[in-house]
Amino acid sequence: MDHRSRIVLAATELLEASPNGDISTRGVGEKAGVQQPVIYRLFGDKDGLLSAVVDHGFGEYLAAKRAAVPTSDPVADLRRGWEEHTRFALEHPNLYRLMYTPGLASAPRSVGEAHELLRSVLERVARAGRLAIEPDRAAEIVISANSGVALALLTRPELHRSVELSTHVREIVLAGILTPEPDGGTPPEPPAVPQAANTLAALLRSAPPESFSPAERELLAEWLTRLAHGPKP
Amino acid sequence: MDHRSRIVLAATELLEASPNGDISTRGVGEKAGVQQPVIYRLFGDKDGLLSAVVDHGFGEYLAAKRAAVPTSDPVADLRRGWEEHTRFALEHPNLYRLMYTPGLASAPRSVGEAHELLRSVLERVARAGRLAIEPDRAAEIVISANSGVALALLTRPELHRSVELSTHVREIVLAGILTPEPDGGTPPEPPAVPQAANTLAALLRSAPPESFSPAERELLAEWLTRLAHGPKP
DNA sequence: GATCCATGTTAGCGACGATAACAGGTCATG
DNA sequence: CATGACCTGTTATCGTCGCTAACATGGATC
């Protein structure tokens, strides 16, 4: 196998296994069976190596995404792309941090490609008459929100890496950039129960009703939370 | 001045002036007129020093924010908080990256405080009847989107650090978590507990929640009528 | 006055990113 | 065939980093 490939592979494995998200060129050289200065001859400096690692790992993800994209429903493609983005971040946290966090001098090529891919999907959405704003701006909005959610899930483990938050933000953002779905008849009135339950819950939190025992208050709060979450769960 | 304060101050200045967002304990010691091991005696390790720096810088920002918050319009407060958050990130990129990027072992105290502050604003929004979802979830959504936009502005300078993108995403997110504005001549009367309970009770009568057993529904209805009758039992 | 603890200093360890200087091999050109 | 340019890899080393052990000092406590 190529020296370059062996180095990138070793660096990738070390990076994925690294607890602090960093690697050392010496460690990479040892694992790849190569002396350290070879890395500097091939990649220039450590940033070059990391860029190559990102391009390698994210390139595979991009290839898979590019191969599966052409559905007849561009909005569904957009939703799937968002979810895959989030999943990739959770599965490769160190790699993802290198891509969507300031610090790396030269932004890897893959990030630009991902942006381009998203823009092409949004172009198709626009051609289907479903996009309310220009695709460039929409791409920036989607990327910002999606990477924000992904980084938040990585940074704060108390969110228990739930994907719910990701889909929730996704739907909010899509509702903000898409035109209303052309489904037949009357547009479905948003259910008022969750909002009413939510308002009452907030009021009760600020002024606990004295006519209720603590246990009653707790049970009532639980029920209101359930109602605020909507009819499905 | 205190040794500790001098060190934090020197570290802050070095961090703000650092091109790669990193500092060295030796440089901090030299600038503060203090030997290097003093830093380790006072802060434990480098992460401790950086946490202290973040708590110092962001603490001032939080204090200013906390002092100015209590407006009568919580939604306006929410908008202003978003914009201040974005502005802080653009003005202190290195500090901001330490806070909202995975890597620091112990998340600084300030981040939790900021989250708490946002949640209290959202509680007020909910009590005004303007929040469509529960405040905890809303806080996670707002933080994710806001930090996502801020980090995107920092990471990709081709967005020319425009604040337009920030306000655009802000309005999309707010539209997704707020109830439609009660536009019209009447001032937005904040609903009281009896009224909110009455509204919810009526809604539940017209659409009984399937996730509740008949007995639960009945007890909930009783409680809501009790709340609708006012504080006197 | 002896003791102890908090604080500060000196010196140094091991690991890091990066580079200079050199060695071998390939290949086109004379 | 011989020679020099060139690509590739090695050895050795530099300066810096985070961090710590060992020692020194000063003031409070009993």
Side-chain angles (χ1 to χ4, degrees):
Chain A
M1 189 190 291
D2 196 352
H3 262 180
R4 188 183 174 93
S5 311
R6 289 228 312 277
I7 292 175
V8 170
L9 195 66
T12 300
E13 293 177 8
L14 286 177
L15 183 67
E16 306 240 324
S18 164
N20 63 351
D22 199 16
I23 58 177
S24 77
T25 59
R26 281 177 165 83
V28 172
E30 187 175 357
K31 188 177 182 85
V34 160
Q35 296 287 5
Q36 190 204 10
V38 176
I39 298 176
Y40 288 86
R41 199 178 284 281
L42 290 178
F43 301 94
D45 58 356
K46 190 181 176 179
D47 265 20
L49 170 62
L50 291 178
S51 274
V53 169
V54 168
D55 281 341
H56 172 76
F58 200 62
E60 291 182 355
Y61 160 74
L62 274 186
K65 175 180 269 188
R66 214 188 313 259
V69 139
T71 305
S72 66
D73 184 354
V75 175
D77 288 346
L78 187 57
R79 282 201 170 84
R80 218 189 45 219
W82 178 293
E83 229 52 42
E84 283 172 0
H85 183 109
T86 301
R87 200 162 48 80
F88 180 85
L90 291 181
E91 285 175 359
H92 307 89
N94 291 334
L95 216 68
Y96 189 82
R97 227 188 28 186
L98 284 179
M99 299 173 52
Y100 286 99
T101 256
L104 221 58
S106 66
R109 194 173 35 81
S110 319
V111 179
E113 284 187 30
H115 197 89
E116 208 57 38
L117 213 65
L118 171 62
R119 247 199 36 203
S120 79
V121 172
L122 285 168
E123 282 281 354
R124 289 170 49 222
V125 173
R127 282 201 294 276
R130 295 291 316 277
L131 198 59
I133 62 179
E134 34 168 7
D136 282 354
R137 172 52 66 96
E140 291 173 2
I141 291 172
V142 170
I143 278 275
S144 298
N146 202 349
S147 63
V149 170
L151 286 174
L153 290 178
L154 291 184
T155 308
R156 304 209 308 285
E158 70 267 19
L159 301 181
H160 67 287
R161 314 206 145 194
S162 136
V163 200
E164 283 178 50
L165 178 63
S166 173
T167 67
H168 202 157
V169 173
R170 183 193 74 189
E171 288 311 310
I172 288 176
V173 168
L174 291 195
I177 67 173
L178 297 182
T179 60
E181 194 154 4
D183 68 353
T186 56
E189 196 85 16
V193 170
Q195 174 197 332
N198 200 49
T199 301
L200 180 58
L203 288 170
L204 291 181
R205 270 195 299 274
S206 75
E210 294 170 7
S211 58
F212 279 65
S213 77
E216 286 176 332
R217 276 195 284 248
E218 195 155 344
L219 181 56
L220 177 56
E222 274 184 28
W223 284 356
L224 291 178
T225 306
R226 243 157 85 192
L227 290 171
H229 272 147
K232 302 171 201 65
Chain B
M1 187 190 292
D2 196 351
H3 263 179
R4 187 184 175 93
S5 311
R6 288 229 312 277
I7 292 175
V8 170
L9 195 67
T12 301
E13 292 176 8
L14 285 177
L15 184 67
E16 305 241 323
S18 163
N20 62 353
D22 199 16
I23 57 176
S24 79
T25 59
R26 280 177 167 84
V28 171
E30 187 175 357
K31 188 176 184 88
V34 159
Q35 295 288 3
Q36 191 203 12
V38 176
I39 299 176
Y40 288 86
R41 199 178 284 283
L42 289 178
F43 300 93
D45 59 356
K46 189 180 177 181
D47 265 19
L49 170 61
L50 290 178
S51 275
V53 169
V54 167
D55 280 341
H56 172 75
F58 200 63
E60 291 182 354
Y61 160 76
L62 274 186
K65 175 178 269 188
R66 215 188 311 259
V69 136
T71 307
S72 67
D73 183 355
V75 174
D77 289 347
L78 187 58
R79 281 200 171 85
R80 218 189 46 220
W82 178 294
E83 229 53 42
E84 283 172 358
H85 183 110
T86 301
R87 200 162 47 80
F88 179 85
L90 291 181
E91 285 175 0
H92 308 89
N94 291 335
L95 215 69
Y96 188 81
R97 226 187 29 182
L98 284 181
M99 298 172 52
Y100 285 99
T101 255
L104 222 59
S106 64
R109 195 172 34 82
S110 317
V111 178
E113 284 188 30
H115 198 90
E116 208 57 39
L117 213 64
L118 171 62
R119 248 200 35 202
S120 80
V121 173
L122 286 168
E123 279 282 352
R124 287 169 51 221
V125 173
R127 284 201 293 274
R130 295 290 316 277
L131 197 60
I133 62 178
E134 37 168 3
D136 282 353
R137 171 54 64 97
E140 292 173 1
I141 290 173
V142 170
I143 278 274
S144 298
N146 202 350
S147 63
V149 170
L151 286 175
L153 290 177
L154 292 183
T155 308
R156 303 210 306 285
E158 70 267 19
L159 301 180
H160 68 286
R161 312 204 149 198
S162 137
V163 199
E164 286 176 48
L165 178 63
S166 173
T167 66
H168 201 157
V169 173
R170 182 193 74 188
E171 288 310 311
I172 288 176
V173 168
L174 291 195
I177 66 173
L178 297 182
T179 62
E181 194 154 5
D183 62 359
T186 55
E189 194 90 13
V193 169
Q195 177 192 336
N198 227 350
T199 304
L200 180 59
L203 286 169
L204 291 181
R205 272 194 300 275
S206 76
E210 294 172 8
S211 57
F212 279 65
S213 77
E216 286 177 330
R217 276 192 283 243
E218 194 155 345
L219 181 54
L220 177 56
E222 273 185 29
W223 284 355
L224 289 179
T225 53
R226 237 158 91 193
L227 289 170
H229 278 150
K232 330 162 206 39

